[in-house]
Amino acid sequence: MKIPTILLALAAQSQAALRFGCSTLTIQRLDPLVEPGRAPSSHLHQIVGGNAFNATMEGDVGERGTCTTCTFSEDFSNYWTAVMFFKHPNGTYHRVPIMQNTALPNGINGGMTVYYTQQDFFNNGNQKITSFPPGFRMVVGNPGIQTAADAQKNPGYPGLKFVCLQNKGTRFPELAEFPTQPCVGGIMTVHHFPSCWDGKNADSADHQSHMFDTQVGAFQAARACPASHPVRMPQVAYETLWDTTQFNGLWPAGSPNPFVLSYSDEHGYGTHADYLFGWKGDSLQRAMDSNCMFQACENGNPLKSQGVAQMNACTVDTVVNEETDGWLTSMPGQNAMA
Ligand SMILES: *[C@@H]1O[C@H](CO)[C@@H](O)[C@H](O)[C@H]1NC(C)=O
Ligand SMILES: *[C@@H]1O[C@H](CO)[C@@H](O)[C@H](O)[C@H]1NC(C)=O
């Protein structure tokens, strides 16, 4: 029997995981993955990561970036999600500020927490964890899913969640949709990406089918990858903390959730996130092959890292110039949406 060599890629037990903060790089209507070349794209995103970010992005981003808003200074990847707005009873919208997560160095400007884990939070399950190739990109979730019925027909996104925060450390329960009561500590959105790769394609027409999701729950041991997608890659996840608290007093008792994601999603069923790989050289592979956990991977062990002031100083030019703050009569792009 001929056994595909890829299945023989067993590795010794290792325990490595990255968890790090990235400040906001920009909040703009740009989406080089789903709508390349369009400025503005259809809806507003928060983007973090490397400064090679632009309306169109091809090639090896890790070789082009010169700064990053993330802790690891060789990580020129870009990470982005939709942003959240509060819809006032008077019909106007206000963007919800983003706050720093716990367990990150103080002073990070907004941003998100990014994870790269192995088979689960603590180990690789004796499998080789293969880094992404240059040019790799993927999307998880689908903004077209707008109703509970649509969500039931599309159960393929077990890693997309909302958490009603009592404080910044709250992690459970994880909800499949927006909380329906005010949350005293804000709202966290969670996006876990699939981690089984087809081994061939850095992208696909829907930006999803080159990947396969076997996770069973947040940071738990994922099931084995299928023969169609046999290569286990790092499990990427984002946590974004939205400071909804200043709007809780404006939430009329008994009324439905007043928060809305920037593509006009009041339930959260269409929550989605985008990933564009941009680690320089073999830096991510070295981290996955090491035995470092979280902050212990910094300062050259094995990854180069930087402080908060340098992270916050990395910027990109504004390509789409429009108002995104203050009380707005509509969300950016909203009037063009179906
Ligand atoms: C972004 O794209 C524009 C138009 O192609 C180009 O002029 C600009 O230099 C690019 N910026 C970066 C940071 O690559
Ligand atoms: C809506 O409410 C906000 C917050 O109280 C206020 O600043 C804004 O002027 C109001 N807009 C309208 C059109 O009433």
Side-chain angles (χ1 to χ4, degrees):
M1 189 174 91
K2 187 168 183 296
I3 300 170
T5 46
I6 210 118
L7 295 180
L8 298 175
L10 295 175
Q13 177 99 351
S14 89
Q15 181 184 63
L18 304 180
R19 177 185 65 196
F20 55 95
C22 301
S23 326
T24 302
L25 177 70
T26 186
I27 293 179
Q28 278 192 71
R29 272 204 289 153
L30 289 175
D31 189 342
L33 211 169
V34 176
E35 300 176 85
R38 278 191 64 188
S41 66
S42 63
H43 59 263
L44 196 62
H45 291 122
Q46 170 187 228
I47 299 112
V48 309
N51 68 337
F53 183 78
N54 213 334
T56 302
M57 293 179 74
E58 299 296 341
D60 191 342
V61 172
E63 296 304 321
R64 285 211 309 279
T66 57
C67 71
T68 172
T69 70
C70 297
T71 297
F72 294 112
S73 49
E74 292 170 288
D75 179 13
F76 302 106
S77 305
N78 288 115
Y79 311 90
W80 67 94
T81 73
V83 298
M84 193 183 291
F85 282 86
F86 170 72
K87 186 178 181 184
H88 193 281
N90 73 15
T92 62
Y93 293 84
H94 200 294
R95 192 170 66 74
V96 177
I98 298 166
M99 55 184 176
Q100 169 185 342
N101 208 338
T102 50
L104 297 180
N106 254 329
I108 292 174
N109 167 28
M112 60 173 87
T113 308
V114 176
Y115 292 80
Y116 289 77
T117 54
Q118 300 177 316
Q119 174 188 254
D120 58 28
F121 209 62
F122 294 110
N123 79 80
N124 65 355
N126 298 324
Q127 312 158 81
K128 172 83 178 171
I129 306 294
T130 304
S131 175
F132 307 95
F136 180 90
R137 52 203 58 201
M138 62 179 161
V139 173
V140 63
N142 178 354
I145 299 176
Q146 289 281 343
T147 64
D150 286 348
Q152 275 194 337
K153 275 184 261 155
N154 291 278
Y157 301 119
L160 305 183
K161 301 292 181 191
F162 295 81
V163 178
C164 183
L165 299 176
Q166 299 305 303
N167 55 60
K168 287 184 175 183
T170 309
R171 290 296 176 271
F172 297 98
E174 295 187 308
L175 311 171
E177 56 194 286
F178 265 116
T180 51
Q181 299 289 322
C183 301
V184 296
I187 295 174
M188 180 170 74
T189 53
V190 185
H191 298 92
H192 292 268
F193 285 83
S195 58
C196 297
W197 181 42
D198 70 9
K200 297 186 206 73
N201 298 297
D203 194 6
S204 49
D206 62 1
H207 313 294
Q208 306 206 12
S209 38
H210 57 315
M211 296 297 288
F212 192 91
D213 202 340
T214 62
Q215 63 191 306
V216 294
F219 301 118
Q220 296 173 43
R223 295 190 308 271
C225 289
S228 60
H229 296 75
V231 182
R232 175 70 69 184
M233 300 177 110
Q235 165 76 63
V236 177
Y238 308 164
E239 290 176 347
T240 314
L241 275 65
W242 306 91
D243 187 3
T244 51
T245 57
Q246 65 184 275
F247 305 104
N248 285 346
L250 301 173
W251 181 336
S255 73
N257 163 54
F259 298 105
V260 54
L261 295 168
S262 51
Y263 53 96
S264 292
D265 183 352
E266 297 175 359
H267 301 286
Y269 300 128
T271 181
H272 60 282
D274 299 66
Y275 173 72
L276 202 149
F277 171 77
W279 287 78
K280 191 174 177 63
D282 67 348
S283 50
L284 179 61
Q285 186 67 64
R286 279 188 286 115
M288 287 291 118
D289 291 343
S290 77
N291 271 301
C292 72
M293 294 288 285
F294 306 150
Q295 278 90 335
C297 307
E298 296 176 15
N299 301 312
N301 298 308
L303 296 173
K304 293 180 188 158
S305 55
Q306 61 182 354
V308 170
Q310 286 165 293
M311 293 162 60
N312 289 347
C314 184
T315 58
V316 289
D317 291 340
T318 299
V319 176
V320 178
N321 209 339
E322 63 187 346
E323 195 55 71
T324 59
D325 291 318
W327 292 99
L328 307 174
T329 54
S330 62
M331 295 184 289
Q334 184 180 17
N335 295 332
M337 288 174 205

